[in-house]
Amino acid sequence: MAAAGLEVAEVGEEEEEKEKRLPERDPESGGDSEDEGDSDSSGDGEDEEKENEAEIQRLEEQLSINAFDYNCHLDLIKLLRQEGELVRLRRARQKMSELFPLTEEIWLDWLKDEIKMASESSERDKVYELFERAVKDYICPEIWLEYAQYSIGGIGQEGGIEKVRSIFERALTAVGLHVTKGAALWEAYREFENAILETAQPAPGSVPSPEQQQMLCSQLEKIHTLFRRQLGIPLLDMEASYAEYEEWSEEPIPETTIKNYKKALQQLEKCKPYEEALLSAETPKLAEYQAYIDFEMKAGDPARIQLIYERALAENCLVPDLWARYNQYLDRQLKVKELVLSAHDRAVRNCPWTVGLWIRYLLAMERHRVDHGAISEMFEKALNAGFIQATDYVEIWQAYLDYLRRRVDFTQDSSKELEELRSAFARAVEYLKQEVEERFSESGDPSCTIMQNWARVEARLCNNMQKARELWDNIMTKGNAKYANMWLEYYNLERAHGDTQHCRKALHRAVQCTSDYPEHVCEVLLTLERIEGTLEDWDAAVQKTENRLARVNEQRAKAAEKEAALAKQEEEKAEQRKQARAEKKASKKAKKTRLGDKRKADDDDEGEWGQEEAEQPSKRHKGDGDGVLLEEDMEVETGLFGRSGPEKPDHPTNQKEKASAGRKDIPKVLHDSSKDNVTVFVSNLSYSMADPEVKLKELFESCGEVVEIRPVFSNKGTFRGYCYVEFKEEKSALQALGLDRKAVEGRPMFVSPCVDKNKNPDFKVFRYSTTLEKHKLFISGLPFSCTKEELEDVCKAHGNVKDIRLVTNRAGKPKGLAYVEYENEAQASQAVLKMDGLTVKEHVIKVAISNPPLRKLPEKPEAGRASHFAVPRQVYGARGKGRTQLSMMPRALQRQSNPVAKAENGMVQNSPATSSKTPEEPKKMSNADFAKMLLKK
């Protein structure tokens, strides 16, 4: 009767599922009874269907172009499921499962859809096959539980009970040790066995036969065994399971079971901290899983180690290092063929871009004696995996060639395996030359290691030295003839398997061609002739090596002279720059002196010339339009000497000058280079920044105690956009470098070490790496309006984003470029596959692994040619570039025949003090002196 009850329940469930499927199969049923007012909604539904169909076609076309677009697969499956397109949905899911391992959610949706449609036994068999595929992708307790429960529906078929038990036992082997989710499977298994026990009970009032009695005892023993097995495993809520066993069992619990239960409780207490850490951590929990793995490795239980690895991989399936460690453990410890090969297969499907996983897979297949055709097929898949470096293709080819070499029986003169090995070597060389070089602009094998190995196989294993010489001749023609180590490698091969004549010939060519270590090659040649050569051979070798070394020494001397000349030229340019700065400084000082003399003379004669100046139009009166330019000159003069000019009304255009007037009296403070270690140089600040000392002090105080902030102002008192920040401690200055590129008033602030460019002209600081970074992406084609938050929303769907940097110009305006740093290489590689060609705000972006091109160094000017870039940029005055900028003193003074004194920096001094000390120099006349001369006439 219990069996009949199960069958009735099964039929009831099938009828319920059919009722659920009716709306899907006949969505238009009942349409005659609908009101006419629903016609608008039906029209909207038709429009939505058309839009969905168009989107489905677009996604299918996109997948035909790039089948590895993971998100595109997900969107297509979602739309097809929404539209109820079962055939196309099956096809889409099938294609995705062939390329990628599917997640637990995708598998459960697929399985539930198929279960609803499976009514016949043939369809149920297909569902069983689908479950078998699902449990191989990842270790998922939910899928195993669904599998076991679905198998109960076929209990009425022949061997149905044993099939259910087999699935439950496999499920317990796979996930029965899962601390948090394993108990659900144990309980489901016990419930199934209890249901079987109910069917075996005799009818009330009847006496069971011996067969029934034996069946009852057997079934009870099965349930007892399940309880005892479960209580010996550390699982959550073990106490409840123990209490349930006490209540169910009519007999006392055996001492052995109690002992195992207590031992499992102790082990559970040790596992709880790791389980709690996993519950509280955020995805992907890699560090927490690694700690858990280390704990289980010390315990040494293979089943528990395998389970924790599988749990970690379910949440970190794109981490190649984790797959590599797991596969290494399986290869060295468990060595179970099906388990090992399955793990390797899942690894390369999850991380196809990692060449190391493919190499491990090929080795595992060879180790477990997989058919040669299967290994060759797997190698072809590896070639199409899309590695990100040219050297990866060299490594996978070398691994496959090693495998082919191990298959050859070299005791035979010729064999099918040997011919296959030779053709594979030839194909590898051609593949690297054509396919790889076309994609990466390099073959990845500049030293021709594959050809070298081919030559070694031919010479040592096949005794075919002629073929080895041909290969080495080809190697040398590929730009390797200038390297001594290449010639010596060939010489050693010839020495071991060739003859003295070819050794001598190779060394003579090496002496002629080698450019890096010719002395070493010459020494090897002389050693050969000393041991085996005749007198004529010795004389020829000595003459050849002497001539070659003489040419080499001559070339090195010329190169040294050229280098010395360039160094001298650089020193001269540095001296010129220093002298130009000194002359510029002296010219400014001379200008200040002349302006001061003129002001002093005017002040002395002001009383005598006051009347004439009052009668004549004054050039210093602000009311005259003719005197505007001279008024600007007077503003410069008052700024230089700190004297206030005549008052004038405030105008909006003068507010900036008025704001900076207070800074004109600030004396210039020379930079103390002895404090460079506690000082940072801050630049690219806004010229309009108000109170830069206050603004920057608030910003830099977070790094440590600030001693002084020295902003740099122009002669007019306007801020020039850079300053020096001095700290009390050196560690504060180092910490302040972390504020580099921080946005201040809409511009990226540059913070760099304080270094004297005169002493270190080539010093340049670049904060970011300029080499290949596999965990970082370079994105181009972004819209200028894209913000950091918007880009992060796009990128975080593919992994844990550590940092995003939007590239801007000096003014802080975006350039449409960005760098995105992921937690590891695997996440970055997966993001490239999914984001390249993505549309962001109607802009198609390009995504690649960050590998900036090498920066071209500025070409050095030719010797003897003056470089105008060495001259400092001219600083013009308020009037712009006028003729007075060419010389700051009258020509009459420049043509003095008398010797003039020179200052230390080489600039002529024309101060009044110097003029008064020279007896031959005529006395300077002021304006008052000229006026007296005119009055006397």
Side-chain angles (χ1 to χ4, degrees):
M1 294 179 64
L6 286 174
E7 292 178 359
V8 170
E10 178 186 351
V11 172
E13 289 177 0
E14 290 184 356
E15 291 296 328
E16 183 179 357
E17 290 173 359
K18 289 182 179 178
E19 290 177 1
K20 290 181 180 178
R21 291 199 300 271
L22 284 176
E24 297 178 2
R25 290 187 173 183
D26 191 11
E28 295 180 359
S29 63
D32 295 339
S33 62
E34 293 179 355
D35 297 334
E36 294 181 358
D38 294 339
S39 60
D40 294 339
S41 61
S42 64
D44 294 340
E46 293 178 359
D47 294 339
E48 184 178 354
E49 288 180 4
K50 291 180 180 179
E51 292 178 0
N52 289 342
E53 182 61 31
E55 180 65 14
I56 289 171
Q57 293 180 0
R58 186 190 69 80
L59 292 173
E60 289 177 342
E61 291 176 1
Q62 187 171 343
L63 286 175
S64 65
I65 299 172
N66 180 15
F68 289 92
D69 192 334
Y70 189 87
N71 290 330
C72 191
H73 281 285
L74 293 180
D75 295 339
L76 178 61
I77 290 172
K78 182 179 179 181
L79 275 176
L80 290 174
R81 193 178 189 217
Q82 179 181 338
E83 293 297 313
E85 296 281 351
L86 181 60
V87 177
R88 297 168 70 183
L89 179 60
R90 281 175 176 168
R91 191 186 308 121
R93 283 168 167 166
Q94 182 66 28
K95 288 182 178 179
M96 185 177 183
S97 66
E98 291 173 357
L99 296 173
F100 304 100
L102 304 185
T103 62
E104 176 183 330
E105 293 77 11
I106 298 176
W107 272 120
L108 288 175
D109 289 340
W110 189 357
L111 290 166
K112 289 176 181 177
D113 290 343
E114 295 294 342
I115 289 172
K116 290 179 182 178
M117 305 304 297
S119 57
E120 300 179 0
S121 59
S122 61
E123 293 176 344
R124 291 185 64 86
D125 291 339
K126 292 182 179 179
V127 176
Y128 281 124
E129 293 176 2
L130 204 60
F131 268 114
E132 290 296 332
R133 291 175 54 191
V135 296
K136 290 179 181 178
D137 273 356
Y138 299 110
I139 300 297
C140 299
E142 288 80 2
I143 294 179
W144 275 110
L145 186 60
E146 189 74 23
Y147 189 10
Q149 290 176 345
Y150 178 73
S151 66
I152 295 176
I155 195 174
Q157 299 177 358
E158 184 179 356
I161 294 178
E162 294 303 321
K163 187 173 184 179
V164 174
R165 284 174 176 160
S166 172
I167 293 173
F168 266 119
E169 288 295 336
R170 290 173 57 198
L172 292 180
T173 303
V175 293
L177 299 179
H178 199 297
V179 176
T180 58
K181 298 181 180 180
L185 273 168
W186 287 100
E187 292 173 3
Y189 196 2
R190 287 204 316 274
E191 288 178 4
F192 169 73
E193 294 294 351
N194 277 317
I196 299 298
L197 179 64
E198 292 295 329
T199 61
Q201 293 287 351
S206 62
V207 178
S209 64
E211 292 80 7
Q212 290 178 330
Q213 189 67 32
Q214 184 179 359
M215 182 179 177
L216 283 173
C217 293
S218 174
Q219 190 63 28
L220 285 171
E221 184 60 28
K222 284 185 173 64
I223 299 174
H224 275 289
T225 303
L226 282 176
F227 268 118
R228 293 165 186 169
R229 287 169 61 189
Q230 180 182 356
L231 292 176
I233 299 173
L235 300 171
L236 290 182
D237 297 330
M238 291 186 63
E239 297 83 354
S241 300
Y242 184 80
E244 182 182 351
Y245 186 29
E246 281 185 322
E247 182 181 353
W248 180 86
S249 177
E250 297 178 356
E251 302 173 359
I253 300 177
E255 289 296 328
T256 306
T257 304
I258 296 175
K259 184 178 179 181
N260 292 336
Y261 168 69
K262 292 180 178 179
K263 184 178 179 181
L265 275 178
Q266 294 176 357
Q267 191 173 359
L268 178 63
E269 291 300 320
K270 296 178 181 179
C271 295
K272 273 186 178 180
Y274 299 98
E275 293 290 345
E276 291 171 356
L278 289 174
L279 289 174
S280 60
E282 296 181 358
T283 306
K285 311 176 184 179
L286 189 58
E288 289 77 13
Y289 272 118
Q290 187 58 54
Y292 206 163
I293 290 171
D294 295 339
F295 165 73
E296 294 292 358
M297 290 288 282
K298 291 179 181 178
D301 186 346
R304 298 191 63 82
I305 294 172
Q306 180 192 356
L307 178 63
I308 192 60
Y309 263 120
E310 292 287 354
R311 288 178 61 185
L313 288 168
E315 297 190 47
N316 299 274
C317 59
L318 300 179
V319 181
D321 292 340
L322 188 59
W323 281 108
R325 291 195 294 271
Y326 181 39
N327 291 336
Q328 182 179 0
Y329 172 76
L330 296 177
D331 289 334
R332 296 180 179 179
Q333 302 297 329
L334 296 187
K335 301 180 182 179
V336 180
K337 178 179 178 180
E338 292 75 12
L339 184 61
V340 170
L341 295 183
S342 173
H344 280 288
D345 183 69
R346 289 185 292 139
V348 297
R349 289 179 66 202
N350 278 282
C351 307
W353 60 87
T354 307
V355 67
L357 296 178
W358 287 100
I359 294 175
R360 288 177 181 271
Y361 194 5
L362 294 177
L363 290 173
M365 295 177 77
E366 181 184 3
R367 195 176 294 119
H368 292 281
R369 304 185 184 281
V370 178
D371 181 67
H372 171 63
I375 296 178
S376 298
E377 183 181 353
M378 190 57 60
F379 168 71
E380 296 297 334
K381 287 183 180 179
L383 286 182
N384 297 321
F387 300 130
I388 59 178
Q389 294 185 99
T391 54
D392 292 343
Y393 288 93
V394 179
E395 293 180 25
I396 193 65
W397 267 111
Q398 193 58 63
Y400 183 59
L401 292 169
D402 292 344
Y403 157 71
L404 293 178
R405 195 265 309 161
R406 289 190 285 267
R407 295 182 67 243
V408 179
D409 182 6
F410 290 100
T411 59
Q412 302 178 8
D413 293 338
S414 63
S415 63
K416 180 181 177 181
E417 290 80 6
L418 179 58
E419 293 304 319
E420 185 179 2
L421 174 61
R422 283 173 172 163
S423 62
F425 267 118
R427 183 189 168 201
V429 173
E430 189 65 22
Y431 186 90
L432 294 177
K433 180 180 178 182
Q434 298 293 335
E435 303 289 337
V436 178
E437 193 166 352
E438 180 180 350
R439 179 180 173 187
F440 295 98
S441 300
E442 59 167 328
S443 67
D445 191 16
S447 299
C448 302
T449 54
I450 289 182
M451 293 183 70
Q452 288 188 47
N453 291 331
W454 188 3
R456 294 188 189 101
V457 169
E458 294 289 352
R460 298 177 183 176
L461 302 177
C462 301
N463 298 319
N464 189 354
M465 198 61 204
Q466 182 61 33
K467 180 64 176 178
R469 293 186 184 110
E470 293 176 3
L471 290 170
W472 267 105
D473 186 65
N474 195 2
I475 291 172
M476 292 306 181
T477 58
K478 295 183 179 296
N480 293 301
K482 58 185 177 181
Y483 301 116
N485 65 319
M486 300 296 288
W487 283 108
L488 295 178
E489 185 70 29
Y490 173 40
Y491 166 75
N492 291 331
L493 187 68
E494 195 69 70
R495 189 74 170 156
H497 307 285
D499 51 51
T500 305
Q501 181 182 356
H502 284 91
C503 288
R504 183 178 291 112
K505 183 179 179 181
L507 289 176
H508 276 272
R509 290 179 60 195
V511 169
Q512 190 67 27
C513 301
T514 303
S515 59
D516 54 352
Y517 299 106
E519 294 89 350
H520 189 34
V521 176
C522 292
E523 182 180 353
V524 174
L525 175 58
L526 293 175
T527 302
L528 173 67
E529 300 300 357
R530 179 176 286 113
I531 296 174
E532 301 185 18
T534 63
L535 179 60
E536 290 77 8
D537 295 332
W538 173 262
D539 291 339
V542 170
Q543 182 178 358
K544 193 173 188 67
T545 55
E546 287 179 351
N547 292 338
R548 175 59 178 162
L549 292 179
R551 288 197 303 271
V552 168
N553 291 332
E554 182 180 353
Q555 292 172 358
R556 289 175 177 172
K558 289 182 179 179
E561 290 177 1
K562 186 176 181 180
E563 186 176 354
L566 289 175
K568 184 177 180 182
Q569 186 178 358
E570 289 298 325
E571 291 179 0
E572 291 176 354
K573 289 178 181 178
E575 187 65 27
Q576 289 176 3
R577 289 194 295 267
K578 183 178 179 181
Q579 185 176 355
R581 286 193 295 269
E583 291 176 356
K584 180 179 177 182
K585 184 176 180 181
S587 65
K588 288 183 179 180
K589 186 175 181 181
K591 179 179 178 182
K592 291 180 183 179
T593 305
R594 289 196 305 276
L595 291 174
D597 293 342
K598 181 177 179 182
R599 174 66 58 83
K600 184 176 181 180
D602 291 344
D603 291 344
D604 292 341
D605 299 320
E606 184 178 358
E608 187 173 351
W609 276 85
Q611 186 175 358
E612 285 82 355
E613 290 178 354
E615 294 174 357
Q616 297 176 2
S618 173
K619 294 182 180 180
R620 286 193 290 268
H621 290 174
K622 294 181 183 179
D624 290 334
D626 297 334
V628 172
L629 294 178
L630 289 180
E631 180 185 346
E632 292 179 1
D633 258 357
M634 289 304 298
E635 290 178 3
V636 175
E637 291 173 17
T638 55
L640 288 172
F641 290 95
R643 298 171 61 182
S644 59
E647 295 182 358
K648 53 184 177 182
D650 289 337
H651 295 286
T653 57
N654 296 330
Q655 289 179 358
K656 187 176 179 181
E657 296 177 3
K658 183 177 180 181
S660 61
R663 302 192 186 105
K664 297 181 182 181
D665 297 333
I666 299 175
K668 292 185 178 180
V669 180
L670 297 178
H671 176 66
D672 187 358
S673 59
S674 64
K675 297 182 179 180
D676 283 349
N677 61 325
V678 294
T679 306
V680 295
F681 179 69
V682 183
S683 59
N684 201 45
L685 299 170
S686 175
Y687 288 4
S688 59
M689 178 182 289
D691 295 328
E693 299 98 326
V694 178
K695 178 82 174 179
L696 296 177
K697 189 169 184 179
E698 295 175 355
L699 189 62
F700 283 97
E701 276 182 339
S702 61
C703 303
E705 183 178 350
V706 178
V707 176
E708 183 183 11
I709 295 181
R710 298 190 299 275
V712 180
F713 299 96
S714 65
N715 290 334
K716 287 189 174 183
T718 56
F719 182 46
R720 299 186 65 181
Y722 60 92
C723 67
Y724 298 88
V725 180
E726 181 183 337
F727 292 92
K728 186 176 182 180
E729 298 178 348
E730 184 176 355
K731 65 178 183 180
S732 301
L734 295 175
Q735 186 178 351
L737 297 176
L739 298 176
D740 186 36
R741 300 309 199 274
K742 181 178 178 62
V744 177
E745 295 190 359
R747 294 172 63 90
M749 174 181 67
F750 299 163
V751 183
S752 59
C754 191
V755 176
D756 189 353
K757 289 294 186 69
N758 295 329
K759 298 178 180 178
N760 301 277
D762 297 329
F763 176 80
K764 190 170 183 66
V765 175
F766 190 67
R767 176 180 177 184
Y768 305 103
S769 173
T770 57
T771 58
L772 174 66
E773 294 180 281
K774 295 183 180 180
H775 67 289
K776 186 179 291 185
L777 303 184
F778 172 69
I779 303 178
S780 60
L782 289 168
F784 291 163
S785 60
C786 182
T787 63
K788 183 176 180 180
E789 291 75 17
E790 292 172 342
L791 183 59
E792 184 177 5
D793 290 339
V794 176
C795 298
K796 68 182 181 182
H798 313 298
N800 187 15
V801 178
K802 294 181 64 178
D803 183 43
I804 292 181
R805 175 167 64 93
L806 294 176
V807 182
T808 62
N809 58 18
R810 295 179 69 89
K813 304 297 182 183
K815 299 173 70 174
L817 309 174
Y819 289 90
V820 180
E821 182 179 357
Y822 280 93
E823 192 169 59
N824 53 55
E825 169 191 348
Q827 295 178 1
S829 302
Q830 187 69 13
V832 171
L833 296 175
K834 297 178 182 178
M835 292 174 56
D836 188 30
L838 190 67
T839 302
V840 177
K841 293 185 177 181
E842 300 181 356
H843 285 68
V844 179
I845 63 173
K846 295 182 180 180
V847 184
I849 298 294
S850 176
N851 188 14
L854 295 176
R855 295 193 170 194
K856 293 184 178 180
L857 297 175
E859 296 182 358
K860 296 182 179 180
E862 298 179 4
R865 179 181 295 180
S867 175
H868 63 279
F869 295 105
V871 180
R873 183 170 63 88
Q874 189 66 268
V875 180
Y876 304 120
R879 300 185 183 185
K881 183 177 179 181
R883 288 179 297 173
T884 56
Q885 295 292 334
L886 300 177
S887 178
M888 299 302 296
M889 61 185 69
R891 290 190 181 90
L893 295 179
Q894 287 182 343
R895 297 174 181 172
Q896 291 180 5
S897 59
N898 297 327
V900 293
K902 288 188 177 181
E904 293 181 0
N905 58 7
M907 190 65 195
V908 178
Q909 301 294 318
N910 293 307
S911 62
T914 306
S915 301
S916 62
K917 292 179 180 180
T918 307
E920 294 83 5
E921 184 178 353
K923 182 181 179 181
K924 288 186 176 180
M925 300 180 67
S926 64
N927 291 343
D929 295 331
F930 281 110
K932 291 177 182 179
M933 289 174 59
L934 292 173
L935 291 173
K936 289 180 180 180
K937 292 181 180 180

